[in-house]
Amino acid sequence: MTIVAEKEIDFEAAAQSLRAGDLVAFPTETVYGLGADATNDRAVATIFEVKGRPQFNPLIVHVSDLEAAQKMGQFDEQALRLAEAFWPGPLTLVVPRQADCAASLLVSAGLETIALRVPAHPLAHQLLQTFDGPIAAPSANISGQISPTLAVHVAAGLGDKVSMILDGSACPVGLESTIVGFDDGAPVLLRPGGISRPAIEKVTGPLHEAVHDDNRPQAPGGLASHYAPKTGLRLDAKNVEPGEALLAFGGDVPEGVSLILNLSVSGDLTEAAANLFAGLHILDAAQPQRIAVMPIPDTGLGEAINDRLRRAAAPRP
Ligand code: TXA
Ligand code: MG
């Protein structure tokens, strides 16, 4: 595996790797993706194998623009409006597959829908343009671990399992994309993420709630413990107990704590989102007994941050 510095990226070589069925990790504005040719069943299967991901968890397919997306999935008026409002950007739309959709059935994991997204990151965009086809890419981490927001996170987690890691430094959003699906035409928030609920509701009106049912893995990230550091988390911590590290938020931080990482001293939720996974990586690496997490408001991107923190804190099998 090689980490390729931004200035040295040979996009043609990366596209060739994808064509050969190899995996290429690349930055998006949300988190790093573990990319494979979405039309190649074997390459897509390799993603599941490398991530150790439960087979029923479908993947997001990345495309370069709306036109390419419409070749794969059927967009009704509501889906079109969302795509036009937020693409390129951190929004994934789950729509019915076109009858002649070129993507492997495995990306949909048996569902009749496909998750599509046009990433805004310039390196992701250039890779898609050069490859000239759809790229299936989950977050580039082992299943159950924290999503990578730096190339070194990918290298630490996946190592030699990936042929190439394109280094685009830190992912600016730092949280996965918001996923919106449709239930009889009504928009449903399937996963909170980089675009806040109010921003989406401005376009769609009120979003419906996803029904969470682990036996029906329609709702993404349905497994309660998905984003997990090795260290346990204690949420809504107002104080810090001996042996704990602190994941702080805002200026009003308890004193006398030996290891603190502040997601945003000024209490800015967008900054906190961008720092969330890297912050958890840093505290986890220090191996404290536990990570105490200060309360984070549930407004705007706070909804996605708290969702990820609850998953990280959920008891693991
Ligand atoms: O920001 C992101 O979305 C990143 C970057 C790399 O694009 N990708 C990402 O992928 O987070 P992943 O695979 O870690 O999460 C994708 C989620 C999964 O929870 C999966 O269940 C859901 O999308 N998903 C994919 N296809 C779906 C479908 N057809 N129906 C419902 N959910 C779907
Ligand atoms: Mg993931």
Side-chain angles (χ1 to χ4, degrees), residues 1-5 23-25 151 154-155 159-160 162-167:
M1 168 273 304
T2 28
I3 297 188
V4 190
L23 304 187
V24 173
V154 182
D160 287 337
V162 34
S163 66
M164 200 186 287
I165 301 171
L166 311 186
D167 190 348

Side-chain angles (χ1 to χ4, degrees), residues 15-178:
Q16 282 298 352
S17 279
L18 290 171
R19 283 181 205 119
D22 293 335
L23 304 187
V24 173
F26 62 97
T28 79
E29 70 278 26
T30 57
V31 300
Y32 277 75
L34 178 61
D37 176 353
T39 67
N40 178 334
D41 289 324
R42 274 195 81 101
V44 174
T46 309
I47 291 182
F48 288 105
E49 185 191 315
V50 162
K51 279 188 65 98
R53 162 179 272 212
Q55 205 69 6
F56 51 72
N57 214 353
L59 305 174
I60 295 174
V61 174
H62 299 66
V63 288
S64 52
D65 54 29
L66 176 57
E67 198 188 329
Q70 286 180 292
K71 291 198 179 120
M72 314 249 126
Q74 302 168 35
F75 286 64
D76 64 10
E77 208 170 307
Q78 193 82 274
L80 269 182
R81 289 181 52 194
L82 282 168
E84 275 157 8
F86 296 110
W87 282 356
L91 175 71
T92 294
L93 294 171
V94 175
V95 297
R97 289 174 68 107
Q98 293 285 16
D100 62 350
C101 175
S104 160
L105 287 172
L106 203 50
V107 298
S108 297
L111 302 172
E112 279 160 17
T113 50
I114 185 164
L116 292 161
R117 137 166 154 79
V118 177
H121 196 290
L123 298 189
H125 186 72
Q126 208 166 333
L127 182 64
L128 281 163
Q129 291 264 303
T130 312
F131 177 60
D132 196 21
I135 300 179
S139 50
N141 54 279
I142 301 283
S143 199
Q145 296 186 357
I146 310 166
S147 292
T149 56
L150 289 171
V152 290
H153 294 159
V154 182
L158 297 178
D160 287 337
K161 292 175 180 156
V162 34
S163 66
M164 200 186 287
I165 301 171
L166 311 186
D167 190 348
S169 9
C171 300
V173 176
L175 278 179
E176 296 89 343
S177 59
T178 301

Side-chain angles (χ1 to χ4, degrees), residues 157-238:
L158 297 178
D160 287 337
K161 292 175 180 156
V162 34
S163 66
M164 200 186 287
I165 301 171
L166 311 186
D167 190 348
S169 9
C171 300
V173 176
L175 278 179
E176 296 89 343
S177 59
T178 301
I179 305 183
V180 173
F182 301 90
D183 194 356
D184 279 335
V188 179
L189 183 65
L190 294 176
R191 177 178 75 182
I195 294 180
S196 71
R197 175 198 294 265
I200 289 174
E201 290 185 333
K202 258 193 201 159
V203 176
T204 60
L207 285 164
H208 295 236
E209 289 312 313
V211 189
H212 272 280
D213 178 351
D214 276 354
N215 296 318
R216 213 179 53 131
Q218 237 214 49
L223 304 169
S225 87
H226 184 70
Y227 302 90
K230 294 195 185 73
T231 313
L233 258 58
R234 185 167 64 87
L235 303 183
D236 281 321
K238 314 248 166 19

